Amino acid sequence: EMAALPMGSQIRMDLIERTQCLKLLVAVTILTCATEGDRAETLNKWIQVAIDTKTALGNLFGFASIMLGLCMPQIQRLTVTWHVLRQKFTDSAFNFEAKLRPTLKSMNECTNPQAPNTTIPHLLPCVLLQERSIEEIMGQNSKPLSSLEVSCLSSWESSTSDFGLGTLFAHLEASRKFGESLASLRRNAEIVLGDSKVDDLLLDMFRTEFHLKFLWGSRGACVSAADRHSKFEQVLTVMSEKCEPPEPPAPLQPSQAYSPAIGTSV
């Protein structure tokens, strides 16, 4: 509820950081695998986690974070790995392309109806929108968009005929209803958790603080978020190219090779 209010800026920043950490964690676990088979198996496991997070747990926030990691360019460019996934884990590959990715797109566009078993709604677009300044909204700020903004907001802001105003209104209306549905969300969460007990050590793995120190270390976690995220994504790009080196450019055909015209000097 506080995340939807003007005084909830710190909570919104924490949610953005948590999404970034989980997104990068997903990518790291895939790119640190030694072979295409291992990477495909890890992809399959994350796809299954995404499915269970959405359908069994009703956690749309966690689902979006995992999907953003799977949809990173550094992961999507691994053509051999995705080919192995389609061969060995056909159902997972089909679910990802035909169901999960379209679901994430419709969630970002606020056209996906919220399931009755939802425990945590899709907060990210509302959080990102509320953390924008007036200058950024009016397009007067030259600061580049973050990768999260590109993934969640740019698609509908730049492609719709009304420049995303309808979708913006839908997201703001959805954020207004977060407080109204708080009791229902809490009840759903209690049903999902039941009498389950979680080990404290295992619970630490899901804390944002653990993700920060795991990904950047104690000193790196103190650096500004924008610098941390951009540099880490550069590292992921290098790791991705090491896993599957980019194809060399095709050599020029003889007809394309340069030859000076007759009668001219070189």
Side-chain angles (χ1 to χ4, degrees):
E1 184 178 9
M2 184 64 72
L5 298 176
M7 66 283 295
S9 179
Q10 185 58 54
I11 294 179
R12 289 193 290 272
M13 295 303 295
D14 290 345
L15 290 172
I16 292 173
E17 187 65 60
R18 184 168 182 79
T19 301
Q20 285 280 20
C21 287
L22 185 52
K23 180 187 80 169
L24 296 175
L25 183 66
V26 170
V28 166
T29 57
I30 296 169
L31 295 175
T32 50
C33 294
T35 65
E36 289 87 357
D38 291 341
R39 286 193 289 274
E41 188 171 348
T42 306
L43 266 176
N44 172 60
K45 290 179 179 178
W46 276 119
I47 291 172
Q48 295 304 316
V49 170
I51 293 173
D52 289 340
T53 301
K54 178 182 181 295
T55 56
L57 301 180
N59 182 356
L60 301 183
F61 176 79
F63 167 76
S65 301
I66 295 171
M67 284 297 297
L68 288 171
L70 295 174
C71 293
M72 289 186 70
Q74 293 88 341
I75 303 300
Q76 289 294 302
R77 65 170 295 277
L78 301 175
T79 54
V80 177
T81 300
W82 286 99
H83 179 69
V84 174
L85 179 76
R86 295 184 187 98
Q87 286 184 324
K88 292 187 175 181
F89 308 100
T90 307
D91 289 344
S92 289
F94 174 79
N95 285 329
F96 179 81
E97 294 293 345
K99 297 180 181 179
L100 301 186
R101 196 199 288 266
T103 297
L104 178 65
K105 183 176 184 294
S106 62
M107 285 167 54
N108 288 334
E109 295 174 353
C110 207
T111 57
N112 189 60
Q114 187 167 290
N117 71 325
T118 299
T119 57
I120 304 178
H122 186 40
L123 300 166
L124 191 57
C126 302
V127 167
L128 292 172
L129 288 168
Q130 287 185 280
E131 281 304 302
R132 280 184 169 179
S133 64
I134 295 296
E135 290 76 13
E136 290 172 327
I137 294 174
M138 301 300 293
Q140 299 172 352
N141 193 327
S142 58
K143 185 179 73 172
L145 297 176
S146 67
S147 59
L148 282 184
E149 289 177 303
V150 172
S151 301
C152 297
L153 306 180
S154 293
S155 59
W156 52 264
E157 282 185 325
S158 58
S159 61
T160 55
S161 58
D162 62 351
F163 301 100
L165 290 177
T167 307
L168 172 63
F169 178 79
H171 278 302
L172 295 178
E173 183 68 15
S175 67
R176 187 182 65 83
K177 294 180 179 178
F178 288 160
E180 299 175 2
S181 57
L182 193 59
S184 173
L185 297 174
R186 184 179 288 114
R187 183 174 62 254
N188 290 338
E190 291 172 352
I191 293 173
V192 169
L193 294 176
D195 298 328
S196 60
K197 295 181 180 179
V198 182
D199 182 77
D200 290 340
L201 185 61
L202 181 63
L203 192 61
D204 279 341
M205 294 178 60
F206 296 94
R207 300 187 190 279
T208 307
E209 293 80 4
F210 173 83
H211 292 169
L212 281 168
K213 292 182 179 180
F214 176 77
L215 294 172
W216 290 283
S218 298
R219 293 179 60 185
C222 300
V223 180
S224 68
D227 289 341
R228 279 190 287 106
H229 299 156
S230 63
K231 290 180 180 178
F232 201 94
E233 290 187 15
Q234 292 175 14
V235 172
L236 291 180
T237 300
V238 174
M239 293 173 64
S240 177
E241 293 179 352
K242 184 178 180 181
C243 291
E244 293 187 22
E247 296 182 1
L252 290 175
Q253 298 296 326
S255 59
Q256 295 176 314
Y258 172 75
S259 58
I262 297 176
T264 61
S265 59
V266 179

